[in-house]
Amino acid sequence: MTETLAHYKAPVVAGYPDVPLAEKQRLFDEIRGDIRFADYLYGCYECGICVAACPSARFYDFSPRRIAQAAAREDVELVYQQMQEDIWECSQCFSCLRCPRGNNPGGIITIMREVAVNNGMASAREALAGYSRIIYKIMSTGTQVSPDMLQPDAFPDWGPETGDVSTHLDLWRRALPSETLHTTSTGWAVDDKTLVELYLIWFHTGALDVIKDVDRGLHAILQEVMEERLEEEGIQI
Ligand code: SF4
Ligand code: SF4
């Protein structure tokens, strides 16, 4: 996390912490400096095709066209404003790749999210707060959301079947054809060698450090889990 943002006591404007223009410019420069940026933005016809294709635009006050235009116009104020809320409303489906200009608004949003996370922005912490259980599961087990997380109280909209499946979870899982799927606390069985390789990748690529910027508690737990496993394997990091 940059010291500049981390220690700045920001006034709250329009429901989010404001920062000086120089900070907004720095964040935009970070977005524009990403190696993918030039390939994601070629200008904008304002045709609205991306909006018509975008599922999130149907349900939120959100528009991929506004994202592309703000970036194309280098409107640092608006880009900063979009980093508070808009970018977290995108489902990253990339239907906006239909853009006749060759833009990738969803890709620009990916970069904006990464910059928000890397700078420890409050909007990133808030948007990711609900995902800590899932991040923990993925990074500690090397798989994904596990069957034992699918409880009826967590997913009331999935209907009564969820309750039946969770009650007889062992049986359901044993009925699956592949041996690697006969687990309930992980999505599938991951062998130790793969898990160790994943831990090393997350350490060395800085993926673990990124989590530190948004959730220090989760980072501490994950670091402990990973270091313990690597130590068992005789690996020093
Ligand atoms: S990637 Fe985001 S902006 Fe693009 S169509 Fe999907 S939800 Fe909309
Ligand atoms: S489809 Fe492309 S050119 Fe059209 S409004 Fe969206 S970003 Fe701009």
Side-chain angles (χ1 to χ4, degrees):
M1 191 194 311
T2 61
E3 291 297 299
T4 334
L5 269 186
H7 299 289
Y8 177 70
K9 289 271 182 265
V12 174
V13 174
Y16 58 83
D18 200 13
V19 293
L21 183 62
E23 272 306 308
K24 294 172 187 171
Q25 183 68 54
R26 189 188 63 75
L27 291 167
F28 180 70
D29 289 344
E30 210 173 301
I31 294 164
R32 186 172 46 186
D34 188 284
I35 195 169
R36 296 162 292 181
F37 187 82
D39 196 38
Y40 288 174
L41 185 64
Y42 296 93
C44 178
Y45 297 142
E46 305 196 17
C47 64
I49 289 174
C50 58
V51 185
C54 174
S56 295
R58 284 189 214 170
F59 298 103
Y60 301 105
D61 179 17
F62 168 77
S63 160
R65 178 179 59 83
R66 289 203 300 262
I67 297 285
Q69 286 180 351
R73 291 175 186 160
E74 304 187 0
D75 186 338
V76 297
E77 292 280 2
L78 185 53
V79 168
Y80 180 75
Q81 189 187 320
Q82 290 171 340
M83 290 172 85
Q84 308 307 316
E85 194 168 333
D86 296 53
I87 60 170
W88 309 107
E89 289 170 346
C90 164
S91 57
Q92 294 281 273
C93 67
F94 298 101
S95 302
C96 48
L97 281 172
R98 289 172 174 83
C99 170
R101 193 73 178 83
N103 295 331
N104 181 350
I108 299 168
I109 289 168
T110 308
I111 299 172
M112 290 166 77
R113 284 182 176 183
E114 287 174 11
V115 169
V117 169
N118 289 339
N119 283 275
M121 287 178 68
S123 71
R125 281 200 296 274
E126 200 179 306
L128 297 176
Y131 292 95
S132 54
R133 246 176 105 221
I134 295 170
I135 295 171
Y136 173 77
K137 183 61 89 166
I138 292 171
M139 293 191 75
S140 62
T141 66
T143 61
Q144 55 168 16
V145 175
S146 57
D148 63 359
M149 292 166 79
L150 304 178
Q151 298 297 325
D153 55 342
F155 297 92
D157 52 327
W158 285 25
E161 305 276 311
T162 318
D164 184 46
V165 171
S166 63
T167 306
H168 305 289
L169 197 56
D170 280 330
L171 192 62
W172 280 106
R173 295 296 285 175
R174 279 203 304 276
L176 292 169
S178 170
E179 282 291 318
T180 56
L181 297 175
H182 295 181
T183 69
T184 54
S185 59
T186 55
W188 57 88
V190 175
D191 68 52
D192 285 349
K193 185 168 175 285
T194 304
L195 200 50
V196 165
E197 281 177 4
L198 283 169
Y199 286 174
L200 287 172
I201 289 168
W202 287 326
F203 269 110
H204 291 302
T205 58
L208 198 61
D209 290 338
V210 169
I211 291 171
K212 194 177 185 177
D213 286 344
V214 287
D215 190 334
R216 283 181 180 271
L218 176 62
H219 173 267
I221 296 169
L222 281 170
Q223 190 166 35
E224 199 179 316
V225 169
M226 292 183 188
E227 283 183 356
E228 199 176 302
R229 174 59 69 96
L230 292 174
E231 210 175 291
E232 282 168 18
E233 300 292 323
I235 298 170
Q236 295 287 328
I237 49 168

